[in-house]
Amino acid sequence: MLGSRGSRSSRSSRSSNSSRRPGRARGLVSALAVFAALVAGTTVQAATAPAAVAATPHRVLFDNSKAETAGNADWIIGTSQPDPLGQDATPSAETDWTGAISAWGVALQKTGNYQLKTLPSGNSITYGTTAALDLQNFDTFVLPEPNVLLSAAEKTAVMKFVQNGGGLFLVSDHTGADRNNDGYDAVEVINDLMSNNSVDSTDPFGFSVDTLSVSTDNPRAISDTANPVLNGPFGKVTGSIIRSGTTITLKPADNPAVKGLVYRTGYSGNTGAFFATSTFGSGRVAVWGDSSPIDDGTGQSGNTLYDGWNDTAGTNAPLALNATEWLSGGTGGGGGGGGTCTAAQLIANPGFESGAASWSATSGVITTDSGEAARTGSYKAWLNGYGSAHTDTLSQSVTIPSGCTSATLSFYLHIDTAETTTTTAYDTLKVQVLSSSGTVLSTLATYSNLNAASGYAQRSFSLGAYAGQSVTLKFTGTEGSQLQTSFVVDDTALNVS
């Protein structure tokens, strides 16, 4: 049995018998250097207007494997599945494709910037397989009022997809809308995905769908002229509609990236949100509290549908389309990825061989101290290792070009510890992406004394979701009051193409 934390000796090191550098200064060198312009040069255009073709079209997969057409629902972009182009290769009107959300699909198709597919009934949601409709082959996955619980494997697939840079669009409906009578409605399906999965069940997106049935309301958008969903390439969003739907409760303490964009009348802050966005890992998430806004009123025969898409009480088409663009990594300029991309490595002074140049760090982090070896060269970034309560930070701001379809952050990490526990993370290193205003957009990973190992190991993360943005890459090491843990970083890179 391990003794109490206070009874242990401090500051031993696996790589050296000496303690952490005596007399090392511990003041801050500088605060984060955060650069402006989250998204620059966005051009607003009509919701259905074609645009210049993107160099690489956004790939969007609409789900039809979870009873999206049960009862009166008809949440498909077309009856030709998986490829809607089989019904009409050049649709000009939403009726050219058959489905209650065909207006959504046709509007995207007409831009020339999208490749759309449907996951047909009878299929499973996968990630990391060789299947043509595997999520790894898409930028955004749309779950339009799912009525069947996702299997454990499917929930893992969806969460991994988002964590690794994918966009997830969740559309709910009012509680009790169990269209296939299997005991589960969209509220329960979506909440189960977020609270009962193998990747992160601790409120990963920072919101939950409310168990409510709101008969009618005309929710209004917040005032935020810089938000790319409310002011995107398909038009300005002023509000939406509820015609039997629900709302969303936000939990920013669990995920500070969550943001309510449209609110039910009389609500604001963390309650009564009707449309919200968030991030998880390197990916993005959007959630809508009702399927009525995406219903275009036409579809397969025998369904009772409602034209919420064109309901003038809301701006539902721009909201759906701008959100799809944002989820897919677009930054405006007519619905496409826009811009150009030259393959490059973006981090300045990536191996720290020019000392602290281009980096912001706490004192002594970037060092040639022999207590921990660099992976290459003489310099490395050595966070923590004092054996006493201490926090170290290391950061650099970068701008990822909007035309880049691939952006991969990598670095080599060595973790050395004197901790002996095999169960408790006393000392941690967080790797995060921050916005231009300093808001945490994503925590890519958290390492601890439990991950200690000899030598360096390379870690990699997709940052494709931040194309067109200026972001800050930040490492934060936090050490407890006893027994050192050293987090040593070297040979960083952010490769784009």
Side-chain angles (χ1 to χ4, degrees):
M1 177 72 71
L2 292 174
S4 68
R5 186 166 171 80
S7 68
R8 305 177 193 173
S9 60
S10 64
R11 300 200 304 182
S12 60
S13 171
R14 287 185 178 179
S15 62
S16 172
N17 291 326
S18 64
S19 63
R20 176 72 153 156
R21 294 151 282 189
R24 178 183 173 200
R26 294 176 164 98
L28 285 173
V29 170
S30 65
L32 283 175
V34 180
F35 289 39
L38 177 66
V39 176
T42 300
T43 302
V44 176
Q45 64 179 46
T48 58
V53 177
T56 303
H58 300 317
R59 303 160 300 171
V60 181
L61 180 66
F62 287 81
D63 187 68
N64 186 31
S65 71
K66 298 293 173 280
E68 280 90 352
T69 61
N72 279 324
D74 193 41
W75 313 133
I76 56 173
I77 58 172
T79 51
S80 176
Q81 299 178 13
D83 191 351
L85 297 180
Q87 183 174 9
D88 190 323
T90 56
S92 59
E94 62 93 359
T95 51
D96 291 336
W97 290 354
T98 303
I101 61 171
S102 63
W104 188 351
V106 169
L108 294 175
Q109 181 67 31
K110 287 169 63 177
T111 69
N113 294 334
Y114 286 85
Q115 292 178 347
L116 309 179
K117 293 290 190 292
T118 296
L119 184 66
S121 175
N123 285 260
S124 296
I125 303 165
T126 63
Y127 179 74
T129 73
T130 58
L133 298 178
D134 188 277
L135 289 179
Q136 69 179 345
N137 299 320
F138 296 90
D139 302 306
T140 294
F141 182 47
V142 182
L143 272 169
E145 198 191 331
N147 260 247
V148 176
L149 287 177
L150 277 65
S151 69
E154 288 178 317
K155 286 183 284 189
T156 298
V158 171
M159 296 300 294
K160 283 290 187 182
F161 167 68
V162 181
Q163 188 178 53
N164 292 333
L168 177 63
F169 205 143
L170 301 168
V171 181
S172 186
D173 200 5
H174 61 90
T175 188
D178 178 11
R179 299 182 185 273
N180 62 336
N181 298 312
D182 70 343
Y184 298 99
D185 56 33
V187 174
E188 294 165 308
V189 173
I190 293 171
N191 284 337
D192 178 72
L193 166 66
M194 299 183 293
S195 63
N196 184 26
N197 68 80
S198 66
V199 178
D200 187 340
S201 293
T202 58
D203 192 24
F205 305 152
F207 64 77
S208 60
V209 183
D210 299 328
T211 304
L212 290 175
S213 183
V214 182
S215 61
T216 186
D217 190 57
N218 297 323
R220 296 296 89 190
I222 64 170
S223 177
D224 186 347
T225 58
N227 186 275
V229 175
L230 299 180
N231 305 275
F234 294 95
K236 182 176 179 60
V237 174
T238 58
S240 187
I241 62 168
I242 299 178
R243 302 295 183 262
S244 292
T246 188
T247 54
I248 301 123
T249 295
L250 310 184
K251 303 172 186 177
D254 295 336
N255 186 333
V258 70
K259 185 178 181 65
L261 301 186
V262 180
Y263 282 85
R264 181 183 173 190
T265 303
Y267 289 83
S268 63
N270 295 332
T271 60
F274 183 56
F275 193 102
T277 60
S278 190
T279 63
F280 175 65
S282 301
R284 299 172 175 179
V285 182
V287 59
W288 213 336
D290 189 8
S291 54
S292 296
I294 61 172
D295 189 343
D296 60 34
T298 67
Q300 300 177 92
S301 62
N303 293 311
T304 303
L305 302 173
Y306 169 78
D307 188 4
W309 188 261
N310 296 303
D311 191 320
T312 57
T315 45
N316 300 307
L319 183 53
L321 298 169
N322 287 343
T324 309
E325 170 77 5
W326 177 76
L327 289 168
S328 302
T331 58
T340 60
C341 182
T342 301
Q345 194 290 111
L346 302 182
I347 293 180
N349 187 21
F352 308 105
E353 295 308 307
S354 296
S358 301
W359 292 94
S360 293
T362 43
S363 179
V365 164
I366 299 174
T367 180
T368 59
D369 191 299
S370 61
E372 293 282 356
R375 177 178 176 272
T376 60
S378 301
Y379 280 87
K380 70 277 178 179
W382 182 355
L383 294 87
N384 304 122
Y386 290 98
S388 59
H390 186 79
T391 299
D392 275 329
T393 60
L394 171 74
S395 64
Q396 184 174 141
S397 293
V398 296
T399 299
I400 303 174
S402 61
C404 294
T405 58
S406 174
T408 303
L409 170 67
S410 64
F411 55 90
Y412 284 85
L413 175 64
H414 169 54
I415 303 176
D416 176 295
T417 189
E419 300 283 3
T420 58
T421 178
T422 59
T423 58
T424 305
Y426 288 119
D427 313 310
T428 61
L429 176 73
K430 287 185 177 181
V431 185
Q432 296 176 310
V433 180
L434 279 64
S435 71
S436 59
S437 62
T439 299
V440 176
L441 297 176
S442 174
T443 297
L444 302 177
T446 300
Y447 303 102
S448 74
N449 49 280
L450 300 177
N451 304 117
S454 60
Y456 282 87
Q458 189 178 38
R459 314 290 184 174
S460 299
F461 303 91
S462 171
L463 300 188
Y466 305 105
Q469 299 185 38
S470 293
V471 296
T472 295
L473 310 176
K474 185 179 182 181
F475 300 81
T476 301
T478 304
E479 193 171 20
S481 60
Q482 298 287 329
L483 295 176
Q484 74 87 24
T485 298
S486 296
F487 301 99
V488 191
V489 178
D490 204 357
D491 298 326
T492 66
L494 178 54
N495 290 301
V496 299
S497 60

